[in-house]
Amino acid sequence: MRIDLLGPVAVRRDDGTLVTPSAPKRRALLSALAVRLNRVVATEELIELVWDGAAPPTARAALQGHVAVLRQALGEEPTADHGGGHLALGTRDAGYVLTGEPDRVDLVRFAGLCERAGVLHPDGRHGSFGPYHPQAPYHPHVLDDERAADGPSPDGPSADPALPLLRAALDLFQGPALTDCGSALLRDRTSPYVTDLRLRALDRLADGLCRQGRGGELVAELTEAVTAHPARQGPAARLVTCLDQAGRRDEAAAWYGRLVARLDGPPGPELRRAGERLTRPAATVAAPRPKAVPSQLPPAERRFVGRADDLRRLDEALAPARAGRPVLVTGPAGAGKTALVQHWANRAAERFPEGVLHADLDGFGEAGPRDPADVLGEFLTALGEPVVPAGLGARVQRYRALLTGRRVLVVLDDARSAEQVAPLLPAPPAEPSDAAPVTVVTSRHRLRDLLVREGAVPLPVGALTPDDAAALLARTLDPARLAAEPAAAAELAERCDRLPLALRLAAARLAARPGWGLDDLAAELADDQAALATLTGTGRGPLGIAAALDRTRRALDPATARLFALLGLHPGSEIGTATAAALGDLPAAEARAHLARLDAVHLLEEQAPGRYARRALVGRYAARQAADLGCDERLAALDRLIDHYLDATGARSAEGGEGAAWFRREESAIRAVVLCAEQHGRTAGAWQLAHRAATFYERAAQGHAPQGRTAHGHAGRGYTGHGFLGGAGGGEDGEGVEHDRARWRATTEAGLRAARSAGDPEAVARLSTDLAVLLVDRGAHRTAGEHLDRAVTTTGDPLLRLRSRARVARALVRAGRHDRAVPLFTDVVAAARIPEAAHLLAAALVDLADALVLAGSPAQALAHADEAVRLAAAHTADAVRATHGRARALHALGRVGPALDCAELAVVLGRTLADTVLQADSHALLADLLGTVGRTGDAAAARRRADSLLSGAV
């Protein structure tokens, strides 16, 4: 555990986790004890500090409670043994003591470093709570020998051992001491001593640096100190001298004039001598050391191809980069981010005549991300710094000072986090300038914090274009070999997700096997089990897609890694937040947070809010991780996924166009879940999900019904626009539609097998009906009839038999087989006249009426529609549908006016119901009828209204 007091109070475990007490009084108690580390603080004194001198009668008991909580928190540190090196809170005599190593409290460490450098407060201790015994105070050197002004000490930069100690001490400050400590009294008693010691340390450091000719390094800190404490003439004199040494004599003179003008009397000796030195020739100022020109850029990748747009974007990013905004190149593992930046940097090297700094930050390597302090040490050495400061803060300050105003390129490759990158960023210039450093960062993490905090310029890198992928293959393979199999070459590139790493590995495998065809390797990559093993190489370490993804996965926290493995059980290429939550057995908010972390490292890509896609290779890698889960855990996740899709299909079935769009996205996953559920003996879930999916397949078939098979060019009941069958396959009645019908059949047949395995006759009847409807849609009417007969003979439920016949009859109508549909609907109407089926009679009559209209018998149709209108209760869906049937029959009889009246009545009735699909049907029917009488404008408005209702826009 470590305690920071030099700035906002913070308590951290050794692994960096913040555990700062949220209660102000506990912060005050811990701060008071930490200031007096290893010394007993009396109970009465603690009560006074914690309650700011206004303690209640219960303060002593409350203090004991706070002590108990703090003891527990200190004891929860994973490695805490309360011995020597760790912090422990104990009771001593009439008070309490916090014990531990001095370095574990930054304020105590600061005082210790100052003491070692010979800088103490005049009374010999750090404040009224300091742990140090009185010693002789530090008195700053008087610059009457002119050494600090006239140039470096002849003893060299290492002559003063106090300087690195003081630099490290001052770097500990993150702001005013004891900010938010919870006790104004503690802050008021301690801050004056801390501030005074800080100013003395800064004064002593300035003295030493001026003697080495390096006073310019402290201009910023001294400016801040003098602005905050204008009455202190020592720091003021140092500021004037440091500005002069930095070659900024005009600024030094201006500061001197302002400082003297503020004084009530003449300046003191130090400030006066600093001003006098400004009247001497500037040539006496020590000349700066010659600047080193670093050259750390690795050579460009020899097989680099394409990326013309990305290279252009890097060129365009130079302008904002010279204003201090780092360029952030991000993308998935294997996308070629490093190769892109190295190629661009080598091409653009002439724009950076003062050098290139390059560091592999190893953010996702096995050894873990590199320490920024180590990287800065290498950078400072490359920049010619003879002595590298000890602490991170000192290195950051020196690094930024050396890069200010220099045309240097800094490449930070494979960054893990914004926290790792931040210390390595040069200081932004006051205004954009060509003489400013440029930083380019690469990472497989999106580093959104860097975008927010530093205004980074995002440059996402994805898959190669098809042409670039082909060019990359041609770098390794014989172009004639590629030209002989262009289709196989294109398939091979897609199997590799068009990622450079995967393409290079595939090309290397083919180059080593000249007898193989490209289609041989493409087939191997199509095998889910073999693909990742195929894309593996040999070298000094693990090389391949799986190894690259391993490095990404290791960066995840355990809970996110578990969800990623469970996502490997999901068969789709896209997944929604709700589905992920079901797989992980998580609340939606928690699942959303994990998905965001997976998106951050490009294991998922958020395509739309709450919708995440993954590349095929990542899907296979996730499936491999899922295979490592226990059998029970996998089956439990499958059960949750089945339940989720049962709930979702039930809820979405009433959503019209939105529901159809959802099913288009989820169809492949639902089909795979049905097959998987059947395979693993989840028979009830399998047949239920297959049956619910049949509703969406059937509606899609309605939307795809050939024009002219209904009365007015729409597909009969259930206006759905472009359904799954009409849109997903890419053709009207073409090969794509047949492919989608094959999916429908695979799902339904799996559900039927599961129903039979479950021994559930009602389920068998439902799935047999689903299959009959599909077979009618495909024109296999005889086979459809056999399945319908099987359905009605399997079940003893008369209502289920009625519904089965009605569904198949409606499918026959969509197929244009009105001659077959009318007798079947006639049987349905007769069966619905029994008392227990009376609630189905109105709908059956409407179905029969519609079929008769299409069969050319509108008079009979009107009679059945009129009966349906009489039977249907007001303000019900049956009433609206019956009015639809009556309007269609009237129109078929040539009675256009009454037909329009009925259609308009259906629109009015539909407004009383919360059924957007039914309302859309009403508007679609009205649009059709308006179009037949030439009212094209009104018809278009009605059609737009129907489309809006289905799309959810209203």
Side-chain angles (χ1 to χ4, degrees):
M1 200 81 75
R2 298 180 184 277
I3 301 175
D4 295 339
L5 303 176
L6 299 179
V9 172
V11 184
R12 292 181 175 83
R13 292 197 176 112
D14 285 349
D15 63 3
T17 305
L18 273 173
V19 289
T20 310
S22 57
K25 286 183 171 48
R26 287 179 195 151
R27 286 200 307 276
L29 174 59
L30 187 60
S31 299
L33 291 167
V35 168
R36 299 259 297 262
L37 186 70
N38 296 321
R39 296 179 64 184
V40 177
V41 185
T43 300
E44 296 302 326
E45 187 176 0
L46 287 172
I47 290 173
E48 180 186 19
L49 293 170
V50 170
W51 277 271
D52 275 327
T58 58
R60 184 177 294 272
L63 183 70
Q64 291 173 349
H66 292 316
V67 167
V69 172
L70 290 178
R71 277 178 175 156
Q72 183 179 9
L74 292 170
E76 286 177 352
E77 188 173 10
T79 59
D81 57 11
H82 301 313
H86 300 282
L87 296 172
L89 178 52
T91 304
R92 299 287 190 278
D93 302 327
Y96 298 93
V97 60
L98 184 68
T99 59
E101 288 181 349
D103 282 358
R104 292 194 170 267
V105 177
D106 63 351
L107 175 56
V108 180
R109 174 172 167 75
F110 165 70
L113 289 168
C114 289
E115 180 183 30
R116 288 169 57 193
V119 179
L120 293 175
H121 191 270
D123 64 4
R125 56 191 174 88
H126 170 59
S128 60
F129 306 97
Y132 299 101
H133 299 290
Q135 295 185 17
Y138 156 72
H139 297 289
H141 296 285
V142 178
L143 297 180
D144 52 359
D145 58 2
E146 308 300 327
R147 285 186 294 167
D150 291 341
S153 166
D155 297 329
S158 61
D160 191 345
L163 301 190
L165 297 172
L166 293 167
R167 182 67 275 169
L170 291 167
D171 286 340
L172 293 171
F173 280 85
Q174 301 298 317
L178 294 164
T179 301
D180 196 29
C181 71
S183 171
L185 186 58
L186 175 65
R187 189 167 50 250
D188 292 345
R189 289 183 179 179
T190 308
S191 291
Y193 296 92
V194 178
T195 301
D196 186 78
L197 189 59
R198 183 183 186 184
L199 289 172
R200 289 172 178 274
L202 181 62
D203 190 43
R204 172 67 176 86
L205 179 60
D207 177 25
L209 290 178
C210 285
R211 291 176 183 279
Q212 296 182 7
R214 297 166 53 193
E217 296 177 23
L218 285 183
V219 167
E221 288 175 85
L222 283 167
T223 300
E224 181 181 352
V226 171
T227 301
H229 307 281
R232 300 285 290 252
Q233 292 194 31
R238 298 284 185 261
L239 174 59
V240 172
T241 301
C242 289
L243 283 167
D244 191 23
Q245 283 197 352
R248 298 157 64 177
R249 177 161 286 195
D250 290 344
E251 290 181 60
W255 264 105
Y256 178 76
R258 288 198 299 271
L259 291 166
V260 171
R262 293 175 185 169
L263 299 175
D264 294 332
E270 287 184 88
L271 184 56
R272 187 184 67 252
R273 280 191 288 268
E276 291 171 352
R277 281 192 294 274
L278 296 178
T279 63
R280 300 176 187 175
T284 61
V285 177
R289 293 191 303 268
K291 295 179 179 178
V293 178
S295 181
Q296 297 182 325
L297 184 64
E301 166 64 50
R302 290 182 294 106
R303 291 180 294 174
F304 181 86
V305 296
R307 297 286 191 194
D309 288 343
D310 296 323
L311 292 169
R312 174 183 51 77
R313 288 192 294 157
L314 278 167
D315 287 336
E316 293 172 351
L318 275 178
R322 294 194 187 280
R325 297 174 60 190
V327 181
L328 179 58
V329 180
T330 59
K337 303 176 293 295
T338 297
L340 168 67
V341 171
Q342 288 182 6
H343 181 84
W344 173 82
N346 278 276
R347 193 177 72 169
E350 63 183 15
R351 304 183 189 183
F352 304 99
E354 295 182 80
V356 178
L357 294 169
H358 177 278
D360 181 355
L361 301 184
D362 207 17
F364 294 85
E366 293 187 11
R370 294 185 62 193
D371 187 336
D374 294 339
V375 177
L376 285 170
E378 294 177 1
F379 281 178
L380 290 172
T381 300
L383 289 165
E385 189 70 0
V387 176
V388 176
L392 174 63
R395 293 183 181 188
V396 170
Q397 189 171 22
R398 186 62 184 148
Y399 165 72
R400 290 175 176 170
L402 290 172
L403 287 188
T404 298
R406 296 184 65 177
R407 290 174 293 174
V408 172
L409 173 64
V410 181
V411 178
L412 305 174
D413 191 29
D414 192 24
R416 175 68 166 269
S417 64
E419 289 72 21
Q420 185 190 26
V421 170
L424 305 175
L425 298 177
E431 57 185 27
S433 168
D434 288 341
V438 168
T439 305
V440 180
V441 181
T442 75
S443 180
R444 66 187 64 184
H445 196 295
R446 298 186 195 276
L447 298 186
R448 292 189 177 95
D449 286 352
L450 201 65
L451 299 174
V452 174
R453 297 176 189 171
E454 305 294 341
V457 182
L459 202 157
V461 174
L464 293 171
T465 65
D467 288 343
D468 285 351
L472 181 55
L473 289 173
R475 284 294 181 96
T476 302
L477 301 175
D478 183 356
R481 193 175 177 186
L482 293 172
E485 299 182 78
E491 182 185 357
L492 181 63
E494 294 303 319
R495 295 288 182 191
C496 292
D497 287 338
R498 287 188 270 116
L499 293 177
L501 175 59
L503 288 165
R504 287 199 298 269
L505 291 165
R509 189 167 176 81
L510 281 171
R513 294 162 178 80
W516 282 23
L518 272 66
D519 56 348
D520 294 327
L521 184 58
E524 192 172 87
L525 291 175
D527 185 339
D528 289 342
Q529 303 300 319
L532 292 177
T534 298
L535 297 176
T536 301
T538 58
R540 289 174 293 180
L543 178 63
I545 291 297
L549 292 171
D550 279 341
R551 290 191 287 273
T552 304
R553 181 181 55 82
R554 281 196 297 266
L556 301 174
D557 62 88
T560 303
R562 172 184 174 273
L563 179 60
F564 176 70
L566 288 169
L567 293 181
L569 299 172
H570 188 269
S573 60
E574 281 192 19
I575 191 165
T577 302
T579 308
L583 267 172
D585 196 17
L586 299 168
E590 189 174 343
R592 193 175 298 113
H594 291 311
L595 291 169
R597 295 185 190 107
L598 292 171
D599 172 75
V601 293
H602 292 88
L603 289 175
L604 295 176
E605 303 278 343
E606 191 171 15
Q607 301 293 306
R611 296 292 306 173
Y612 297 85
R614 62 184 172 195
R615 290 168 285 112
L617 291 174
V618 173
R620 288 168 172 167
Y621 177 79
R624 175 190 286 187
Q625 301 303 311
D628 292 336
L629 298 171
C631 180
D632 290 345
E633 187 172 9
R634 293 199 303 274
L635 290 176
L638 174 60
D639 289 338
R640 293 194 297 270
L641 196 57
I642 293 169
D643 290 342
H644 163 72
Y645 277 124
L646 284 173
D647 291 342
T649 50
R652 296 279 187 172
S653 63
E655 289 186 358
E658 284 189 1
W662 172 84
F663 186 72
R664 280 198 297 272
R665 293 193 301 266
E666 298 284 356
E667 186 276 336
S668 62
I670 291 172
R671 174 166 37 88
V673 169
V674 170
L675 295 170
C676 191
E678 182 211 354
Q679 178 184 357
H680 288 87
R682 270 55 182 171
T683 54
W687 78 255
Q688 289 172 21
L689 186 55
H691 180 55
R692 291 193 180 182
T695 301
F696 292 92
Y697 287 122
E698 188 174 355
R699 286 179 183 172
Q702 292 172 11
H704 186 63
Q707 297 299 309
R709 293 184 180 177
T710 62
H712 307 291
H714 64 84
R717 181 179 305 165
Y719 171 82
T720 59
H722 295 293
F724 168 73
L725 293 171
E732 296 284 326
D733 289 318
E735 180 181 350
V737 173
E738 286 305 314
H739 176 64
D740 293 334
R741 288 183 178 129
R743 295 176 175 181
W744 181 1
R745 183 162 190 165
T747 305
T748 303
E749 288 180 339
L752 181 56
R753 288 193 300 269
R756 288 170 177 160
S757 297
D760 186 337
E762 309 297 327
V764 171
R766 287 183 169 88
L767 270 297
S768 294
T769 304
D770 293 339
L771 191 53
V773 170
L774 165 62
L775 291 168
V776 168
D777 190 71
R778 298 188 67 171
H781 301 136
R782 174 180 291 182
T783 309
E786 293 172 356
H787 281 282
L788 177 59
D789 290 343
R790 190 174 296 117
V792 298
T793 57
T794 299
T795 178
D797 183 349
L799 298 184
L800 181 55
R801 288 198 297 268
L802 187 153
R803 290 191 176 99
S804 295
R805 288 193 177 99
R807 282 187 60 206
V808 174
R810 284 194 290 269
L812 287 166
V813 170
R814 290 196 302 272
R817 298 306 304 267
H818 316 123
D819 55 331
R820 290 176 176 263
V822 169
L824 196 53
F825 274 134
T826 301
D827 290 344
V828 170
V829 168
R833 293 191 183 278
I834 62 175
E836 53 264 45
H839 62 288
L840 299 176
L841 180 56
L845 287 165
V846 174
D847 283 334
L848 177 57
D850 286 342
L852 287 166
V853 167
L854 295 169
S857 301
Q860 295 179 54
L862 182 59
H864 290 300
D866 285 342
E867 183 183 0
V869 169
R870 291 193 299 272
L871 287 172
H875 305 296
T876 64
D878 281 346
V880 176
R881 293 191 183 102
T883 308
H884 290 173
R886 190 168 190 274
R888 286 190 280 266
L890 287 167
H891 184 268
L893 288 168
R895 298 168 62 182
V896 178
L900 277 171
D901 292 340
C902 280
E904 290 171 345
L905 176 61
V907 169
V908 174
L909 291 173
R911 290 177 185 149
T912 65
L913 305 174
D915 187 336
T916 56
V917 173
L918 189 59
Q919 290 182 56
D921 284 345
S922 298
H923 284 280
L925 174 61
L926 180 61
D928 288 341
L929 297 178
L930 288 169
T932 63
V933 297
R935 294 170 59 182
T936 55
D938 293 337
R943 179 68 61 184
R944 285 193 299 271
R945 178 68 177 177
D947 291 339
S948 297
L949 285 163
L950 287 173
S951 67
V954 294

